[in-house]
Amino acid sequence: MKLIFAIVNKDDSGAVQNALTKKKFSVTKLATTGGFLLAGNTTFIIGTDDEKVPEVLSIIEENSKKRTQIVPSSIAYGAGLSSAYPIEVAVGGATIFVTNVERFEKY
Protein backbone atom coordinates (compact mmCIF):
# COMPACT_ATOMS: atom_id res chain seq x y z
CA MET A 1 0.00 0.00 0.00
CA LYS A 2 1.14 3.55 -0.78
CA LEU A 3 0.33 6.97 0.60
CA ILE A 4 0.41 9.77 -1.97
CA PHE A 5 0.75 13.45 -1.09
CA ALA A 6 -0.05 15.63 -4.10
CA ILE A 7 0.37 19.40 -3.85
CA VAL A 8 -1.70 21.01 -6.59
CA ASN A 9 -2.41 24.63 -7.54
CA LYS A 10 -5.78 25.75 -6.15
CA ASP A 11 -6.97 26.52 -9.69
CA ASP A 12 -6.59 22.84 -10.62
CA SER A 13 -7.79 21.27 -7.37
CA GLY A 14 -11.45 20.92 -8.36
CA ALA A 15 -10.61 19.07 -11.57
CA VAL A 16 -8.14 16.80 -9.78
CA GLN A 17 -10.61 15.98 -7.00
CA ASN A 18 -13.45 15.29 -9.45
CA ALA A 19 -11.30 13.02 -11.62
CA LEU A 20 -9.98 11.05 -8.64
CA THR A 21 -13.38 10.53 -7.04
CA LYS A 22 -14.90 9.60 -10.42
CA LYS A 23 -12.40 6.73 -10.53
CA LYS A 24 -13.38 5.76 -6.94
CA PHE A 25 -10.18 6.92 -5.21
CA SER A 26 -10.71 8.17 -1.66
CA VAL A 27 -9.02 11.51 -1.12
CA THR A 28 -8.50 13.89 1.77
CA LYS A 29 -8.21 17.51 0.69
CA LEU A 30 -6.27 20.12 2.67
CA ALA A 31 -5.99 23.83 1.90
CA THR A 32 -2.29 24.77 1.96
CA THR A 33 -0.11 27.74 1.08
CA GLY A 34 3.13 27.63 -0.90
CA GLY A 35 6.25 29.21 0.50
CA PHE A 36 7.60 30.82 -2.69
CA LEU A 37 4.64 32.82 -4.02
CA LEU A 38 2.53 32.47 -0.87
CA ALA A 39 -0.20 31.27 -3.23
CA GLY A 40 -3.04 28.93 -2.42
CA ASN A 41 -2.56 25.23 -3.04
CA THR A 42 -4.46 22.09 -2.26
CA THR A 43 -2.72 19.06 -0.79
CA PHE A 44 -4.41 15.77 -1.53
CA ILE A 45 -3.72 12.72 0.63
CA ILE A 46 -4.53 9.49 -1.17
CA GLY A 47 -4.07 5.95 0.12
CA THR A 48 -4.07 3.25 -2.54
CA ASP A 49 -2.74 -0.16 -3.52
CA ASP A 50 0.73 -0.26 -5.08
CA GLU A 51 -0.55 -1.26 -8.52
CA LYS A 52 -2.95 1.73 -8.68
CA VAL A 53 -0.27 4.39 -8.11
CA PRO A 54 0.40 4.91 -11.85
CA GLU A 55 -3.31 5.55 -12.43
CA VAL A 56 -3.44 8.13 -9.64
CA LEU A 57 -0.33 9.88 -10.96
CA SER A 58 -1.78 9.92 -14.48
CA ILE A 59 -5.04 11.48 -13.26
CA ILE A 60 -3.15 14.18 -11.37
CA GLU A 61 -0.89 14.90 -14.35
CA GLU A 62 -3.85 15.18 -16.75
CA ASN A 63 -5.63 17.67 -14.50
CA SER A 64 -2.71 19.81 -13.23
CA LYS A 65 -1.45 22.16 -15.90
CA LYS A 66 1.67 24.30 -15.68
CA ARG A 67 1.30 27.89 -16.76
CA THR A 68 3.14 31.17 -16.33
CA GLN A 69 2.09 34.04 -14.14
CA ILE A 70 3.39 37.59 -13.81
CA VAL A 71 4.22 38.53 -10.21
CA PRO A 72 5.69 41.71 -8.77
CA SER A 73 9.28 41.64 -7.64
CA SER A 74 11.53 44.34 -6.29
CA ILE A 75 15.16 45.29 -6.56
CA ALA A 76 17.06 47.36 -4.03
CA TYR A 77 19.49 50.04 -5.22
CA GLY A 78 20.91 50.87 -1.80
CA ALA A 79 20.34 53.97 0.34
CA GLY A 80 16.71 52.93 0.82
CA LEU A 81 15.82 53.10 -2.85
CA SER A 82 13.98 50.26 -4.52
CA SER A 83 11.98 49.59 -7.65
CA ALA A 84 9.25 47.09 -8.39
CA TYR A 85 9.18 45.20 -11.67
CA PRO A 86 7.16 42.23 -12.87
CA ILE A 87 8.72 38.81 -13.45
CA GLU A 88 7.28 35.74 -15.10
CA VAL A 89 7.23 32.51 -13.03
CA ALA A 90 5.93 29.02 -13.70
CA VAL A 91 2.96 27.97 -11.55
CA GLY A 92 0.63 25.01 -11.53
CA GLY A 93 1.48 21.41 -12.15
CA ALA A 94 1.85 19.18 -9.14
CA THR A 95 4.45 18.15 -6.61
CA ILE A 96 3.91 14.54 -5.57
CA PHE A 97 5.38 12.35 -2.84
CA VAL A 98 4.70 8.61 -2.78
CA THR A 99 5.51 6.77 0.45
CA ASN A 100 5.21 3.21 1.66
CA VAL A 101 2.53 2.41 4.23
CA GLU A 102 3.62 -0.05 6.86
CA ARG A 103 0.19 -0.39 8.41
CA PHE A 104 -3.33 0.72 7.51
CA GLU A 105 -6.46 0.46 9.63
CA LYS A 106 -9.90 1.89 9.10
CA TYR A 107 -12.49 1.94 11.88
Side-chain angles (χ1 to χ4, degrees), residues 46-103:
I46 307 147
T48 192
D49 295 322
D50 293 22
E51 62 272 5
K52 293 184 180 180
V53 169
E55 183 179 2
V56 171
L57 299 181
S58 177
I59 290 169
I60 295 168
E61 181 181 10
E62 290 169 11
N63 292 280
S64 302
K65 303 301 178 200
K66 281 195 172 201
R67 54 197 160 274
T68 58
Q69 180 177 330
I70 305 296
V71 297
S73 182
S74 62
I75 186 167
Y77 295 108
L81 300 174
S82 65
S83 175
Y85 62 95
I87 60 170
E88 189 174 64
V89 296
V91 297
T95 301
I96 301 169
F97 301 91
V98 180
T99 62
N100 291 319
V101 174
E102 187 174 315
R103 182 175 172 176

Side-chain angles (χ1 to χ4, degrees), residues 1-14:
M1 177 160 234
K2 301 289 187 190
L3 185 62
I4 302 170
F5 296 92
I7 305 164
V8 175
N9 186 281
K10 69 177 180 178
D11 295 335
D12 297 326
S13 66

Side-chain angles (χ1 to χ4, degrees), residues 10-30:
K10 69 177 180 178
D11 295 335
D12 297 326
S13 66
V16 170
Q17 182 177 7
N18 289 339
L20 287 168
T21 55
K22 184 176 181 178
K23 292 289 188 170
K24 307 291 187 218
F25 289 104
S26 296
V27 299
T28 298
K29 180 179 168 181
L30 304 171

